[in-house]
């Protein structure tokens, strides 16, 4: 395949209550093999996927939150979090997992993957995409 | 460069339509399908968010889903256009991408 | 124009599968091409041959099988989602030690890469879900 | 079975988008055989189930709305519609199907099954039930 | 006290089935009785023996089968909901002209009257769904 | 005569918690489970509806669902009680009926 497209994965669901968050993360991991220009957007309750300190022991489900930290190794380095959604939930960037990647263009310096953007900035970014995956 | 947004949830049940309108740029089209068609009703608690967005955004609603739910066209917010499945296909081709708000 | 279609919900339970069907028929009637239909999440339940809906209702699974045959459509059921939910073809049943399979004619089971590819290769990707 | 209980079926979902409305109506029809004291409540988008003039031809689904008119024959005669939910949707009683039953205690006089009640009245009625079925 | 349980959603897709399981275990551990577990809507998918979830995840269907065996629980799958969604036992498969069935051990298929009865005969009915 | 209401939807996604609180009588108990536990968070757009209802209604939240979602108890609205599954069973027995808001 020779085409390179801009693909964005859009996440609006809380984790665990339904499986969408986990199964959409599986798509992102597989998608990494296709060497496209990928990004993720976390909007509304999708933001809850990124909360620190998830521990599913008492409910007997698989804790998939550590997988987000691996995204950088899969070259998924552009993770947009909508500011308005954070604020509506009383959350700040510091409540989310610290996701990073190594920038190979800058001698593998560690950089933050998450960018907090306003609704209006995110709308612009969505408008630049070729494909929007929703789950 | 424009986007077709589809919304399939009732605005009195979920926040989907609000999310769509917060993130749809001026010049976009919004197509209400399935339970999303209740968003096209005038005189509801939520009609105002559609009426306010109409300056910049074109609104469409799937006729088959309206009829199934017993909604006559005179109950719709003025300016919402009714389309059939072929019209849905045309909207998807005329825009550059489709954002399906689930 | 070439469409890729993703269906996230099971038949009857959610209208997503119906809307996708009507969209696809209209697209084909208007001379467009369907690159692939990818069944994900509960959408994999569209691909079981064991449904027996009431006589006075539509038969969603048969409808897919017939449409695929008529237009040579590629109906792909996600393997990971299918394993969790109990949809298997003969190979999958064997691999997982099951005594039977339940996939409907015209569907094939494959990986998530098929969804990514549908997004890349199609002019438009449409998602039908909950 | 000798017990008689007060059973209420609670409907909060719009029809057709999902199957819950139709499958819950199937429960009510079967439940009629048990000769209990039954009632139905329509709240939030559940009210849309009762809209007049439903025609599913273009979407190829079964139109199950005529079944509501048969509820009276199944001795389901207490149908509560929440006033606040109607108003939030800009609807009035007249927008809903006219559901009736024949009152055998009054020489089979035709009576209205639907009663529009306030949230506070409905809360009282729910509190009198033995079993609340949700779908 | 006697509990009736209704489960409306399929395994893995929705947490409803997990919550119901943990509630039921806690109820049994505390000396209560489970009159019946009724699987309705997509809940019928809890009763397929064809699931093959990943090794590092729980096996929801097997968990029901084992709990039912240990505590002699009545696991009832609604026949009408099952027909629409492709869940069948040997009798249902035969009646509907299907070449195989897929029901898991410990489950039985029966009518909606079993749900009404669970409401009437139990001290409390709890519904787990979407 | 009292009712246990369970809510399993996030209040920033659906209207379920609002419906529950509109129809729950004083003296009722509300247990938030699954994605419903987000309703117990303080400082959100929706915390106010729980805080206002607390005069008349007792609020509980399922601890396992909180922990799974990374919510520490110090993030909860004051007065919301954390219970485990056995506590859920007790609430179901102590009340006269259970209304499961889906």
């Amino acid at each position: 395949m020779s085409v390179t497209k801009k693909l964005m994965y859009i996440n609006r669901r809380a984790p665990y209550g339904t499986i969408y968050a986990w199964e959409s993360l599986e798509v992102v991991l597989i998608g990494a093999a296709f060497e496209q220009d990928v990004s993720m957007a976390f909007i509304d309750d999708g933001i809850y996927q990124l909360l620190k300190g998830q521990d599913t022991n008492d409910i007997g489900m698989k804790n998939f939150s550590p997988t987000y930290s691996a995204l950088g190794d899969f070259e998924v380095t552009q993770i947009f979090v909508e500011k308005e959604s954070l604020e509506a939930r009383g959350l700040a960037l510091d409540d989310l997992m610290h996701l990073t990647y190594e920038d190979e263009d800058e001698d593998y310096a560690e950089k933050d993957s998450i960018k907090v953007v306003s609704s209006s900035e995110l709308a612009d970014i969505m408008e630049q995409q070729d494909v929007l995956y929703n789950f | 460069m424009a986007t077709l947004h589809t919304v399939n949830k009732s605005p009195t049940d979920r926040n989907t339509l609000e999310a769509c309108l917060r993130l749809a740029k001026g010049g976009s089209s919004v197509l209400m399908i399935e339970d999303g068609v209740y968003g096209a009703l005038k005189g509801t608690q939520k009609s105002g968010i559609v009426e306010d967005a109409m300056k910049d955004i074109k609104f469409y609603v799937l006729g088959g889903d309206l009829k199934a739910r017993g909604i006559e066209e005179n109950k719709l917010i003025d300016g919402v256009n009714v389309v059939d499945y072929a019209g849905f296909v045309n909207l998807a081709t005329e825009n550059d991408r489709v954002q399906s708000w689930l | 124009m070439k469409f890729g279609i993703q269906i996230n919900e099971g038949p009857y339970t959610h209208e997503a599968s119906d809307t996708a069907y009507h969209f696809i028929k209209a697209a084909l009637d208007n001379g467009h091409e369907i690159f692939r239909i990818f069944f994900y999440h509960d959408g994999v339940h569209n691909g079981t041959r064991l449904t027996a809906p009431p006589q006075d209702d539509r038969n969603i699974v048969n409808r897919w099988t017939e449409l695929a045959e008529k237009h040579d459509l590629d109906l792909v059921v996600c393997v990971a989602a299918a394993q969790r939910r109990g949809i298997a073809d003969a190979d999958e049943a064997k691999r997982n030690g099951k005594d039977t399979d339940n996939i409907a004619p015209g569907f094939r089971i494959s990986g998530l890469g098929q969804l990514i590819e549908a997004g890349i290769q199609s002019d438009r990707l449409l998602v039908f879900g909950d």
Side-chain angles (χ1 to χ4, degrees), chain A residues 9-58:
Chain A
Y9 303 100
I10 298 187
N11 296 276
R12 289 184 60 249
R13 317 254 199 177
Y16 307 115
T18 53
I19 203 175
Y20 300 102
W22 172 222
E23 288 192 327
S24 75
L25 192 52
E26 290 186 332
V27 175
V28 177
L29 297 177
I30 299 286
F34 285 76
E35 304 200 348
Q36 305 287 311
D37 181 1
V38 306
S39 61
M40 299 174 79
F42 289 87
I43 302 170
D44 291 324
D45 281 3
I47 283 177
Y48 288 137
Q49 294 179 31
L50 301 177
L51 278 187
K52 280 180 188 165
Q54 299 174 31
D55 170 2
T56 57
N57 265 335
D58 291 355

Side-chain angles (χ1 to χ4, degrees), chain B residues 13-96:
Chain B
D13 181 42
R14 304 214 213 177
N15 73 358
T16 318
L17 180 61
E18 269 108 334
C20 169
L21 296 180
R22 201 172 66 234
L23 288 156
K25 284 179 72 74
S28 297
S29 296
V30 172
L31 170 63
M32 306 187 227
I33 64 173
E34 301 172 3
D35 286 346
V37 302
Y38 295 113
L41 277 170
K42 68 182 167 199
T44 81
Q45 224 170 35
K46 299 286 181 173
S47 308
I49 63 174
V50 171
E51 287 154 0
D52 291 347
M54 266 188 173
K55 295 182 297 290
D56 301 324
I57 288 174
K58 278 171 287 185
F59 284 89
Y60 301 87
V61 61
L62 201 50
D65 279 322
L66 275 182
K67 274 176 61 183
R69 288 161 181 79
I71 304 174
E72 290 165 32
E73 297 196 14
N74 63 18
K75 299 273 189 178
L76 301 184
I77 295 167
D78 285 340
V80 174
N81 306 290
V82 179
V83 297
D84 60 9
Y85 290 104
F88 184 177
V89 173
N90 287 339
L91 285 169
T93 59
E94 289 161 7
N95 286 277
D96 300 293

Side-chain angles (χ1 to χ4, degrees), chain A residues 47 81-89 116-120, chain B residues 22:
Chain A
I47 283 177
V81 167
E82 192 203 16
K83 185 164 161 282
E84 284 77 356
S85 294
L86 267 180
E87 288 171 355
R89 287 157 189 77
V116 177
V117 293
S118 69
S119 307
S120 134
Chain B
R22 201 172 66 234

Side-chain angles (χ1 to χ4, degrees), chain C residues 36 39 74-78 89 103-111 114 117:
Chain C
R36 177 172 296 146
F39 296 91
D74 189 17
L75 307 183
V76 180
V77 171
C78 170
D89 60 13
I103 199 161
F107 290 82
R108 66 186 179 94
I109 293 185
S110 188
Q114 303 274 315
E117 196 195 27

Side-chain angles (χ1 to χ4, degrees), chain A residues 64-75:
Chain A
F64 59 89
S65 67
T67 311
Y68 295 98
S69 305
L71 287 169
D73 299 335
F74 284 83
E75 291 176 53

